[in-house]
Amino acid sequence: MLTITDLNKTYSNGVHALKSVSLSIPTGLFGLLGPNGAGKSSLMRTIATLQEPDSGSIRFGKLDVLKDKEALRRQLGYLPQDFGVYPKVSAEDLLTHFAILKGLTQRGERREIVEGLLRQTNLWDARKRKLGTYSGGMRQRFGIAQALLGDPKLVIVDEPTAGLDPEERNRFLNLLAEIGEQVVVILSTHIVEDVTDLCPRMAMIAKGQVLLQGEPQSAIDTLRHKVWQKRVSKAALPQYQASMDVLTSRLVGGLPQISVFADSQPEEGFVSVEPDLEDVYFLKLRQHNGAMLKAPQHDAGAPLAALAA
Ligand code: ADP
C-alpha cells in the first residue's frame, strides 16, 4: 500500500501544483486521471523521489519514502512522460545496458531476465531491431520492460498512452493490468477510457487537488438516473451550455448530442442514459471549476466530498 498524506508543492514561479494531496493506493492498477496541468507529473515525480514536496508524507508499506529515498528507488520502476531511447541501438542491447546499470552483473542471470522482459512485453521477435524503427506502442512497451528491471514493487507510468492508436493502447493497458496483479502500478493519464476498464481504483485530480478517489464503478453509480441525452441544433447549443450542466457534447449525424447532469428530466426530448466515467469526470471538473469561480478562498473540495468514495 502506498499512502500519500497532505502533499503540497509550490514551484518557484508561484504555481501551487499539489494542494494537500492525500491518496491511498493498494496493489493493482491505479488510474490517476486529470487534465493537462492538473499536477499528475508533479505527483509522479514526487513519489518517484525525483523532486521534493514542500510538506506532507509518503509511505510505501512501512517505508518513509521522503526519509529513505534510496530504499524506495530500489523498489521502483518508473516510465517518465518523456522517455527517450537511443534510436540506433537494438532493444536487446539497450535493455541489457540498463540491466547492467541496475546492477545485474551476472551474465547468465542478466540474459535470462532480459529475455523474460522482452517476451513479457511482446518484443522478443523485434529484439534485434533498432529502437528508432519501433512504433510508438513498441517504444512504450520497451519503456515498461526497462521499468520492470530489478523486480520493482512500485511501478509508475506517466501518461504512457498519449499518441498510441487504440490497438496499441489496449495492448499496453492489458500489460499494465497484468503487472498490477503483483505490485502497485500507478498510471497517470488524461484519457478517461484508460481508467474505465482496467483500473480497479482511481483518483481524479485537477489544479493540484484530488476531486475524487475510489472505484470507478461506485463513482459511476452515483450518477445513475441523473444523466440525460438529447440531440439539439448547433444554434441552440450555447444556450444549453449556459443554462444546464452540459457534461459532453459530440456530433452524431451532424447534430450535437449533449449529455446533461440533472436530478430530473431537464426538458422534453431528453432521455435518461446509463452514466459512464466520462460523465463523472466532466461533472467533477465542472463542479470544481464552478466552486473555484464562486468561492476562490473556499476549499473547493468540500462540496464534492459527498460524492467522493
Ligand atoms: P500534469 O502532469 O497533470 O500535466 P504537471 O504536474 O506537469 O501537470 O503541472 C502542474 C502545474 O505545475 C502546471 O501548471 C505546470 O505548468 C506547473 N509546473 C510543472 N512543473 C513545473 C516546474 N518545474 N516549474 C514550474 N512550474 C511547473
Side-chain angles (χ1 to χ4, degrees), residues 209 291 298-307:
Q209 274 179 297
H298 185 66
D299 172 13
L304 307 173
L307 268 174

Side-chain angles (χ1 to χ4, degrees), residues 132-172:
T133 71
Y134 270 23
S135 68
M138 292 168 90
R139 265 204 298 275
Q140 288 300 66
R141 279 185 274 132
F142 179 78
I144 284 295
Q146 66 78 30
L148 291 180
L149 277 168
D151 231 349
K153 299 288 171 278
L154 170 64
V155 176
I156 294 178
V157 282
D158 196 355
E159 293 269 4
T161 60
L164 299 191
D165 68 34
E167 195 189 328
E168 281 179 331
R169 234 182 68 210
N170 266 343
R171 189 190 270 237
F172 187 80

Side-chain angles (χ1 to χ4, degrees), residues 11 13 15 17 34-43 45 81 158-159:
Y11 288 110
N13 60 359
V15 174
N36 287 333
K40 301 184 296 296
S41 290
S42 299
L43 181 58
R45 287 196 304 261
Q81 200 172 357
D158 196 355
E159 293 269 4

